[in-house]
Amino acid sequence: MTPRRPGHPDPRRAAAAVLLTLALSVPLSGTASAAPAGPARIAPRAAYSSGLELPPLTGPYSVGRRTLHLVDRSRTDPWVPASGHRELMVTVSYPARTTSGPPAAYMTDEEAQLLLEARGLGGVVPRAVVAGARTHARTDARPAAGRFPLVLLSPGFSMPRATLTSIAEDLASRGYVVALVDHAYESVGTAFPGGRILTCAACEQVGTREEQAAVVRVRAKDMSFVIDELTHGRGAGGLSRVIDPSRIGIGGHSIGGAAAAATMAADRRVRAGADLDGDFFVHPAGTGLGGRPFLMIGAASTHSPGAPTTDWSEAWRHLHGWKRWLTVDGAEHFSFTDLPYLAGQLGLSDPAVPLSGARGWRITRDYVSAFFGLHLRGMRQPLLDGPGAIHPEVAFQ
């Protein structure tokens, strides 16, 4: 089953181009409650590396990681009601005291296999290439002392949460607790406890704008539930002690960016939000934020003011607080995720995409970290004042 991704052209060609280059380099959960606290018991994560490595960290902290399985017992899953309560897998990256603990792998072998098969590359790219990409986090490392802002991140529709690992780890190294959320039945493959691999049942149910808006609303409820559990629930265990619940931000890629805006509209605890190349889908776009800051950053080809398919112009009119609309020349939809960086690291970037994976990563990292630094930490960020020579590809609309 090949999923459809709402609101943008079919992603298979772009994603396949990125992953195919990898192959060429390798020889042949209101009244809700959570599941029991502690790391989720899922398929073992391999400690090997395929030779690929995520971007180096830029903050002063080492990074720890915990994987949580959260169950919202107040809701039935909207895509597969017979499965029972709404479930989420959450990777929490956080500032750590040391680099002790086993290295955290990029994803499980099973998740990597399903990602490849969904794009027709199951027999082309060994799953170990993707699953074994080296991260910079250590599993269950002891958290650093202090209380840190919380940032939640939601991936694109059909994309696993692992595709936003680089920005999550970098923010954690800068002093944030970062929760990457996989929404059940909305990814091509996500490992859940008990040896279960949930695939994208939602992909065959979503196509119209109304159905896309339904995805956004479901995710907004998911994200508020994650906030509940990380700040006051049992699901986060000791991590709640290092989270400052008065400083919460949210972001996401593609429809995950729409979920960021919808969560803010529904949940006043979220102080700032960022949308990475995603339409808003919920009409009227951009409403309900009540003057809170919002960042929109996307590919110039699809999210410039004159682009015919985007709803960003409508959202811009409804955003009444601090706001920025940035477009990146030469970027494509996945330029704001890990995938182009992994290809570019091997000198095998997609020639159809002018912006290199390394440049896409630096732009994403710099603007997202500046945004949350300004609005969750109160640190002045000249980068956000206007165009600059450091990133000539970025236009302020």
Side-chain angles (χ1 to χ4, degrees):
M1 177 176 68
T2 302
R4 293 172 288 168
R5 179 167 53 81
H8 289 280
D10 190 334
R12 287 171 290 182
R13 289 182 60 193
V18 171
L19 291 173
L20 183 57
T21 60
L22 300 180
L24 297 176
S25 69
V26 180
L28 288 180
S29 321
T31 57
S33 62
R41 303 305 177 194
I42 60 176
R45 292 178 176 267
Y48 58 78
S49 171
S50 63
L52 301 179
E53 187 172 17
L54 297 184
L57 304 178
T58 57
Y61 290 97
S62 300
V63 176
R65 180 193 290 184
R66 294 183 189 173
T67 302
L68 307 176
H69 173 225
L70 302 180
V71 182
D72 186 345
R73 302 191 187 281
S74 72
R75 292 188 292 152
T76 299
D77 188 89
W79 312 119
V80 184
S83 67
H85 301 302
R86 181 66 166 166
E87 296 182 77
L88 307 168
M89 293 303 300
V90 183
T91 295
V92 184
S93 300
Y94 53 88
R97 291 177 184 268
T98 67
T99 57
S100 61
Y106 190 57
M107 60 173 63
T108 68
D109 283 353
E110 293 81 2
E111 289 169 329
Q113 184 67 31
L114 287 167
L115 179 60
L116 293 167
E117 289 177 354
R119 281 148 182 83
L121 297 172
V124 179
V125 181
R127 64 185 188 176
V129 172
V130 178
R134 187 180 298 278
T135 72
H136 302 292
R138 295 283 174 161
T139 301
D140 293 331
R142 188 179 178 189
R147 290 171 71 81
F148 303 98
L150 170 66
V151 174
L152 297 92
L153 297 174
S154 180
F157 192 69
S158 86
M159 287 289 99
R161 69 191 188 279
T163 55
L164 297 178
T165 298
S166 295
I167 191 62
E169 288 190 350
D170 194 73
L171 285 171
S173 79
R174 293 169 179 251
Y176 299 83
V177 177
V178 185
L180 270 177
V181 181
D182 249 334
H183 310 265
Y185 300 109
E186 296 179 27
S187 161
V188 293
T190 299
F192 277 75
R196 295 174 296 147
I197 304 291
L198 303 188
T199 55
C200 194
C203 290
E204 294 303 318
Q205 302 178 44
V206 173
T208 67
R209 296 290 291 192
E210 292 77 13
E211 291 163 345
Q212 294 157 13
V215 174
V216 173
R217 295 187 182 99
V218 167
R219 288 197 178 193
K221 292 179 181 178
D222 290 344
M223 301 306 259
S224 286
F225 174 68
V226 172
I227 294 172
D228 292 342
E229 292 303 316
L230 292 181
T231 57
H232 297 103
R234 296 180 295 118
L239 287 177
S240 295
R241 294 194 295 270
V242 300
I243 293 172
D244 180 353
S246 70
R247 293 184 292 166
I248 298 175
I250 191 168
H253 174 244
S254 193
I255 208 167
T263 304
M264 290 183 69
D267 194 329
R268 299 292 300 181
R269 294 175 295 180
V270 184
R271 287 176 48 176
D275 180 349
L276 310 182
D277 206 55
D279 284 352
F280 285 73
F281 301 111
V282 176
H283 182 76
T287 58
L289 273 62
R292 284 167 290 168
F294 201 79
L295 169 69
M296 306 185 304
I297 180 169
S301 59
T302 54
H303 284 103
S304 292
T309 59
T310 183
D311 58 7
W312 280 20
S313 292
E314 178 186 5
W316 187 252
R317 294 193 299 269
H318 295 139
L319 295 171
H320 301 303
W322 187 103
K323 59 184 178 180
R324 294 292 185 274
W325 178 350
L326 312 180
T327 56
V328 184
D329 189 40
E332 58 93 31
H333 190 56
F334 289 99
S335 294
F336 307 92
T337 72
D338 298 346
L339 296 181
Y341 182 89
L342 295 177
Q345 183 180 328
L346 301 170
L348 298 168
S349 299
D350 182 352
V353 180
L355 190 73
S356 72
R359 285 297 299 158
W361 156 244
R362 292 190 189 101
I363 289 168
T364 303
R365 175 199 67 196
D366 288 355
Y367 284 96
V368 171
S369 62
F371 173 75
F372 287 122
L374 175 63
H375 296 293
L376 297 184
R377 304 180 74 91
M379 302 168 61
R380 186 173 178 272
Q381 302 291 338
L383 184 69
L384 298 172
D385 292 341
I390 188 172
H391 292 309
E393 308 92 338
V394 178
F396 282 62
Q397 304 299 333

